[in-house]
């Protein structure tokens, strides 16, 4: 069971939710002394604002404001804000029980691998009919655990093992490609990881929810630690590089949600698990690398390794003739400069796929923002020594040129989307504690669910 949730709780206190425009009516239904207490305390039912309700024997309940939002974050501080160890149940009201459960559980999360747990959170009795919300919270918290794990604990082997364990839990299969097979089948991935004593590998997870369902390919950048290679990062630049496998954590979490909700699709999940290290065997600037597609890539910068990992995964995915390919990666600082930490950058070669992803993100409050694949910058990747360089030498549009690099490895006829994300919360906010974050997971699941629904209702031609 997730921290902060319980199946049943004896003596659980009622938790009321109220919208700001329903506050007057709510106060009118309370005992006069309790209503007077709330008025005196200044409670205005703003989103996430909460107050304890006094009773003759002490604590009679609590109330949380929803504002005018339909968001899980209104419930995101309650598990850690209400008295530790208390138990609560949702009282009838305007809230969505699934949203309330999701926000409560995500706010309760704390990493405990190397830190003693603090006070026990308040617990919420799980309402009826919210199994999908609980599954979503479990998938997101598992992804947070992966991202938060120190690189000493989570290397390429452990990340690939997480993919294999996920497949085993849901009746899928997982092949781990390494050694000579990796050198032959995923040569760019092998090159990125060749400087580390922890051998690189690719996890290939397959799952079938419906034999006739569309094949959805998810590719995740799994750089378990990124020193920058011989183009070494600064000390400050390395501080959060344990999170450079955030794209892999996101696609694994999305896959878990898809499998747990048994969507009628076929899944192909590819995780490129590597460490970009400094050693005598590390790839060098101006090395020319082979790729699975056959294109030769000059290494303009060894710190632009994520796109080298993804290019082989994209080529493999395209060979399987999927209905769509989506890759997720903590790829560029340029995307964060453009959009900040909370808005992943979306690039796509297909307007319909991009529109579905954007709509899904809005619907589940998991937003992203589309940036252009501007053809005018494609020549910035030209190299005099190879088919292309892995970086542009111009100090502009870094997120765009990274996406244009990836596009070279996806056939034009296959709908493809690239999500350049941050995978981190710089500080604690409602439902989003400081540390690793599984951005885009809920949007991806919602989009795949809608695509499966449309596929099921579209007549065969």
């Amino acid at each position: 069971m997730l921290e902060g949730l319980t199946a049943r709780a004896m003596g659980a206190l009622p938790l009321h939710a109220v919208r700001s425009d329903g506050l007057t009516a709510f106060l009118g239904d309370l005992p006069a002394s309790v209503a007077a207490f709330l008025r005196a305390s200044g409670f205005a039912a703003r989103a996430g604002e909460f107050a304890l309700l006094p009773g003759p024997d002490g604590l009679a309940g609590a109330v949380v404001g929803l504002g005018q939002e339909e968001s899980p974050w209104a419930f995101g501080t309650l598990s850690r804000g209400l008295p530790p160890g208390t138990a609560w149940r949702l009282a009838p009201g305007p809230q969505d029980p699934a949203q309330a459960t999701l926000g409560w559980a995500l706010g309760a999360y704390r990493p405990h691998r190397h830190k003693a747990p603090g006070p026990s959170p308040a617990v919420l009795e799980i309402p009826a009919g919210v199994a999908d919300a609980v599954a979503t919270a479990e998938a997101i918290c598992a992804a947070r655990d992966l991202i938060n794990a120190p690189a000493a604990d989570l290397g390429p082997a452990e990340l690939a093992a997480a993919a294999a364990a996920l497949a085993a839990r849901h009746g899928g299969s997982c092949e781990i490609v390494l050694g000579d097979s990796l050198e032959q089948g995923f040569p760019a991935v092998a090159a990125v990881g060749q400087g580390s004593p922890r051998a690189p590998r690719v996890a290939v997870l397959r799952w079938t929810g419906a034999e006739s369902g569309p094949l959805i390919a998810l590719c995740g950048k799994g750089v378990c630690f990124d020193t920058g290679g011989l183009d070494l990062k600064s000390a400050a630049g390395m501080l959060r590089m344990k999170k450079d496998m955030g794209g892999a954590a996101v696609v694994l979490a999305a896959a878990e949600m898809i499998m747990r909700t048994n969507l009628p699709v076929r899944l192909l999940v590819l995780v490129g698990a590597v460490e970009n290290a400094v050693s005598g065997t590390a790839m060098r600037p101006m090395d020319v690398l082979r790729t699975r597609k056959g294109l030769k890539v000059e290494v303009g910068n060894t710190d632009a390794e994520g796109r080298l990992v993804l290019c082989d995964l994209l080529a493999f995915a395209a060979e399987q003739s999927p209905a769509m390919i989506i890759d997720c990666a903590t790829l560029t600082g340029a995307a964060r400069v453009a959009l900040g930490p909370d808005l992943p950058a979306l690039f796509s070669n297909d307007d319909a796929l991009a529109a579905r992803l954007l709509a899904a993100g809005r619907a589940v409050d998991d937003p992203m923002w589309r940036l252009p694949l501007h053809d005018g910058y494609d020549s910035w990747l030209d190299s005099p020594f190879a088919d292309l360089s892995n970086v542009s030498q111009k100090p502009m549009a870094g997120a765009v040129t990274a996406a244009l690099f990836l596009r070279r490895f996806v056939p034009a006829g296959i709908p493809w989307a690239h999500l350049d994300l941050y995978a981190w919360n710089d500080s604690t906010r409602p439902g989003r504690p400081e540390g690793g974050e599984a951005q885009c997971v809920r949007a991806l699941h919602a989009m795949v669910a809608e695509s499966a629904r449309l596929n099921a209702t579209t007549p065969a031609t």
Side-chain angles (χ1 to χ4, degrees):
M1 182 67 67
L2 281 169
E3 193 171 14
L5 297 181
T6 183
R8 289 288 179 268
M10 295 295 294
L13 295 166
L15 173 64
H16 304 272
V18 58
R19 298 190 186 283
S20 53
D21 59 5
L23 179 57
T24 300
F26 176 76
L27 292 173
D29 291 335
L30 292 176
S33 61
V34 177
F37 172 83
L38 277 183
R39 291 190 186 96
S41 68
F43 181 77
R46 292 180 289 269
E49 180 185 15
F50 67 92
L52 299 175
L53 301 178
D57 298 319
L59 188 58
V63 57
V64 61
L66 303 180
Q68 293 300 323
E69 299 180 8
E70 195 65 51
S71 162
W73 311 132
F75 295 85
T77 61
L78 296 178
S79 60
R80 298 290 173 176
L82 292 170
T86 53
W88 300 85
R89 56 178 172 78
L90 289 177
Q95 74 276 356
D96 179 337
Q99 293 276 61
T101 303
L102 179 63
W104 184 292
L106 293 181
Y109 172 87
R110 293 292 184 274
H112 293 316
R113 182 186 289 248
H114 295 294
K115 184 177 176 67
S120 298
V123 296
L124 178 69
E125 188 176 282
I126 300 173
V130 300
D132 286 355
V134 174
T136 298
E138 289 176 342
I140 289 174
C141 290
R144 289 172 172 177
D145 280 342
L146 289 174
I147 299 167
N148 285 326
D153 295 345
L154 187 83
E158 291 79 14
L159 181 57
L166 176 63
R169 288 198 301 272
H170 297 284
S173 65
C174 187
E175 177 189 6
I176 308 298
V177 183
L178 70 167
D180 290 343
S181 296
L182 187 76
E183 290 273 358
Q184 295 304 312
F186 299 89
V189 177
V192 170
Q194 71 190 23
S196 173
R198 302 196 291 182
R201 59 206 68 203
V202 170
V204 183
L205 185 159
R206 299 179 187 272
W207 176 84
T208 300
E211 292 288 350
S212 60
L215 178 62
I216 311 296
L218 303 176
C219 303
K221 173 188 171 184
V223 178
C224 297
F225 193 81
D226 181 19
T227 65
L230 294 178
D231 289 312
L232 192 68
K233 292 180 183 288
S234 66
M238 271 190 253
L239 276 178
R240 291 178 180 162
M241 282 302 100
K242 68 177 185 179
K243 78 175 182 68
D244 214 20
M245 38 60 64
V250 164
V251 299
L252 291 176
E256 178 159 17
M257 290 172 61
I258 290 166
M259 291 187 288
R260 287 187 66 162
T261 52
N262 203 32
L263 294 184
V265 301
R266 293 174 294 137
L267 266 184
L268 170 65
V269 183
L270 302 171
V271 170
V274 302
E275 180 173 46
N276 188 22
V278 179
S279 76
T281 60
M283 63 177 176
R284 294 164 290 267
M286 298 192 76
D287 278 356
V288 174
L289 308 182
R290 294 182 301 113
T291 67
R292 183 181 182 92
K293 189 174 181 180
L295 294 174
K296 299 289 186 68
V297 177
E298 182 186 14
V299 180
N301 191 304
T302 63
D303 195 21
E305 85 297 333
R307 64 201 71 182
L308 297 172
V309 172
L310 285 173
C311 74
D312 277 354
L313 305 186
L314 292 171
F316 180 92
E319 293 165 12
Q320 317 306 307
S321 301
M324 67 180 73
I325 302 173
I326 299 170
D327 75 73
C328 296
T330 52
L331 205 66
T332 68
R336 307 287 69 77
V337 171
L339 298 175
D342 295 342
L343 273 180
L346 164 65
F347 297 86
S348 182
N349 66 355
D350 185 273
D351 289 342
L353 174 58
R356 292 203 302 274
L357 278 165
L358 291 169
R362 288 190 296 269
V364 298
D365 199 23
D366 194 11
M368 58 192 74
W369 198 267
R370 191 178 186 186
L371 294 180
L373 286 164
H374 181 55
D375 291 328
Y377 299 158
D378 197 61
S379 62
W380 292 8
L381 295 170
D382 289 349
S383 164
F385 305 108
D387 295 314
L388 73 165
S389 174
N390 72 328
V391 293
S392 162
Q393 296 307 313
K394 297 182 184 292
M396 298 172 285
V400 178
T401 54
L404 289 170
F405 176 91
L406 296 177
R407 188 178 68 172
R408 300 280 189 102
F409 297 87
V410 181
I414 298 177
W416 160 70
H418 161 57
L419 289 166
D420 188 337
L421 46 87
Y422 189 48
W424 194 262
N425 295 314
D426 288 326
S427 59
T428 295
R429 294 170 294 162
R432 291 152 291 186
E434 180 179 355
E437 189 54 271
Q439 293 175 310
C440 301
V441 166
R442 292 180 296 120
L444 285 172
H445 175 260
M447 186 279 295
V448 173
E450 176 65 9
S451 298
R453 185 191 67 80
L454 291 173
N455 182 72
T457 57
T458 301
T461 57

